[in-house]
Amino acid sequence: MLTLLSVPSVRAAELPLTHLTVMGSLGGTAQYRDIEEPFWKRQLSADSGGRVTADMSPFDRTGLKGFEALQMARLGVISFLTLPLSLVSSEDPEANAADLPGLNPSMAEMRANLTAYRPVLSELYRTRYGLEPLAMMSYPQQVLFCKERFERLSDLAGRRIRVASGIQASMIGALGARGIVLPLGDVDRALANGLVDCAVTGTLTGNALGLPRTTHYIYALALNWGLQIVLANRVVWQSLAPEVRSFLADELAALEQRVWDQAEHADIQGFACDTGRNECTDGVKSDMVLVAEAPDDRELLDRILRTVILPKWAARCGEDCAAQWNRTVGARMGLTAEAALQ
């Protein structure tokens, strides 16, 4: 478990009493358990001398869909929201523009592409929803857990695979498999009941969900990541005292960095625990088989990105949206998003 560090900010005595209502991200993740919940429920109070406090509940225990939560934040029913962007990508294609499957082979690339696209996302949520973006971060790499043996991505043809979003389903479809979108909390049951043969999720998240009980093989190749955004209703945000906004901005900047650090840590721990290595300290030691990255699979993902993912995404996002992507992420990656001809 990572230690939460205090962040210097305005003096606690200067802060007016402030109480926040927060909807957190996915409650079944190490991020929520080890960082997010302690941050909102304890650290804000500790760092502010009890002047700033918060109540929170995880997003996936509310019964809301992603876009419903976004609309509730827009209306001010939810004041602060941590939203996994894959959950709203069917309504807002821009949401996964920096995290398209096959785009980011490493966390360094993920962070660089998010930095390039961040101004676009910030402006989108301000103008389309009246929300103030306060932090952006990512879950660990999303990898394959499978019941049956495989050695390369082409071996997945014909299998039913749990995915988190439609864009992941497009990638899985291009491999000749069937992508089935399921909430995180349903994954273990779906595997146990034979609804799916494999699942895409984070390495340590899969361990926490008990996937080593229902699957036996885990792939070392990152398919994509899992961007999240922390948003505040702008009316609520602007109504806070300036010194409270300054305090929260400092705290959330540090939270963002801790989540990135935790994601890197979770990748190491996830693989260690899933495969039963001695370095495992944050999960349950299991005996899964680690499938090494096949020599040509990175090239296969890149080809699917260029010929399937980008054209489909550009068609959904529109000409202006694709042009913004080409000027930002596309420019640094040497890629061009052009809508597929109908």
Side-chain angles (χ1 to χ4, degrees):
M1 183 179 297
L2 300 185
T3 301
L4 296 177
L5 302 177
S6 190
V7 181
S9 187
V10 295
R11 289 187 301 166
E14 298 174 353
L15 296 171
L17 287 172
T18 305
H19 187 73
L20 310 173
T21 57
V22 182
M23 183 174 290
S25 62
L26 302 177
T29 63
Q31 174 193 306
Y32 183 88
R33 180 192 68 224
D34 296 344
I35 296 182
E36 195 176 344
E37 186 177 38
F39 170 81
W40 289 106
K41 287 189 173 181
R42 298 195 294 275
Q43 186 179 346
L44 285 184
S45 179
D47 289 353
S48 65
R51 309 294 291 178
V52 179
T53 57
D55 290 326
M56 79 171 305
S57 57
F59 168 83
D60 53 340
R61 295 176 192 166
T62 64
L64 294 173
K65 296 181 179 178
F67 194 65
E68 292 171 339
L70 194 61
Q71 292 296 341
M72 290 180 73
R74 180 181 67 83
L75 295 170
V77 178
I78 300 170
S79 299
F80 289 79
L81 169 66
T82 299
L83 183 68
L85 287 172
S86 65
L87 299 182
V88 295
S89 59
S90 59
E91 290 83 8
D92 295 326
E94 300 94 332
N96 53 23
D99 188 29
L100 296 169
L103 181 65
N104 299 303
S106 67
M107 181 176 286
E109 288 288 357
M110 172 74 267
R111 297 192 72 170
N113 282 328
L114 178 58
T115 296
Y117 199 71
R118 188 168 184 155
V120 179
L121 277 178
S122 295
E123 184 62 17
L124 180 148
Y125 286 102
R126 288 191 185 106
T127 58
R128 189 174 294 175
Y129 297 104
L131 300 173
E132 184 64 27
L134 300 174
M136 296 184 197
M137 54 262 192
S138 179
Y139 288 120
Q141 60 181 301
Q142 304 296 291
V143 300
L144 276 160
F145 290 74
C146 284
K147 295 178 179 181
E148 302 297 332
R149 183 179 180 85
F150 69 100
E151 296 180 352
R152 56 186 53 81
L153 291 176
S154 59
D155 293 342
L156 300 172
R159 300 193 197 187
R160 298 160 299 174
I161 300 176
R162 178 269 172 179
V163 293
S165 64
I167 199 76
Q168 277 189 352
S170 293
M171 173 194 63
I172 294 300
L175 295 171
R178 179 187 173 195
I180 300 174
V181 179
L182 290 174
L184 187 65
D186 294 345
V187 174
D188 190 41
R189 184 167 59 252
L191 284 161
N193 293 340
L195 177 62
V196 295
D197 307 302
C198 305
V200 177
T201 191
T203 57
L204 193 58
T205 298
N207 186 276
L209 291 173
L211 298 196
R213 296 192 302 264
T214 50
T215 62
H216 305 290
Y217 299 89
I218 183 172
Y219 199 19
L221 179 65
L223 301 181
N224 68 316
W225 298 79
L227 288 180
Q228 308 153 71
I229 187 168
V230 180
L231 299 161
N233 176 276
R234 290 202 82 192
V235 174
V236 172
W237 179 251
Q238 293 299 330
S239 72
L240 297 175
E243 56 269 34
V244 173
R245 293 200 301 269
S246 177
F247 169 76
L248 288 172
D250 289 345
E251 295 277 320
L252 284 161
L255 172 70
E256 179 178 302
Q257 183 57 53
R258 282 196 297 272
V259 172
W260 283 109
D261 292 343
Q262 193 267 354
E264 188 169 8
H265 173 81
D267 276 338
I268 297 170
Q269 280 294 302
F271 284 121
C273 293
D274 292 331
T275 59
R277 300 204 306 266
N278 289 335
E279 306 95 284
C280 171
T281 58
D282 291 3
V284 177
K285 281 188 180 181
S286 302
D287 59 355
M288 297 190 73
V289 175
L290 179 64
V291 179
E293 179 179 330
D296 298 331
D297 273 358
R298 180 56 58 189
E299 289 79 5
L300 174 60
L301 273 186
D302 183 67
R303 185 163 64 251
I304 291 172
L305 170 68
R306 293 170 183 268
T307 62
V308 177
I309 302 297
L310 274 176
K312 285 188 175 182
W313 177 82
R316 290 185 56 242
C317 210
E319 185 176 344
D320 290 342
C321 170
Q324 285 183 315
W325 190 91
N326 290 333
R327 288 193 295 268
T328 54
V329 177
R332 72 167 303 276
M333 296 293 289
L335 294 168
T336 301
E338 295 180 348
L341 296 176
Q342 301 298 318

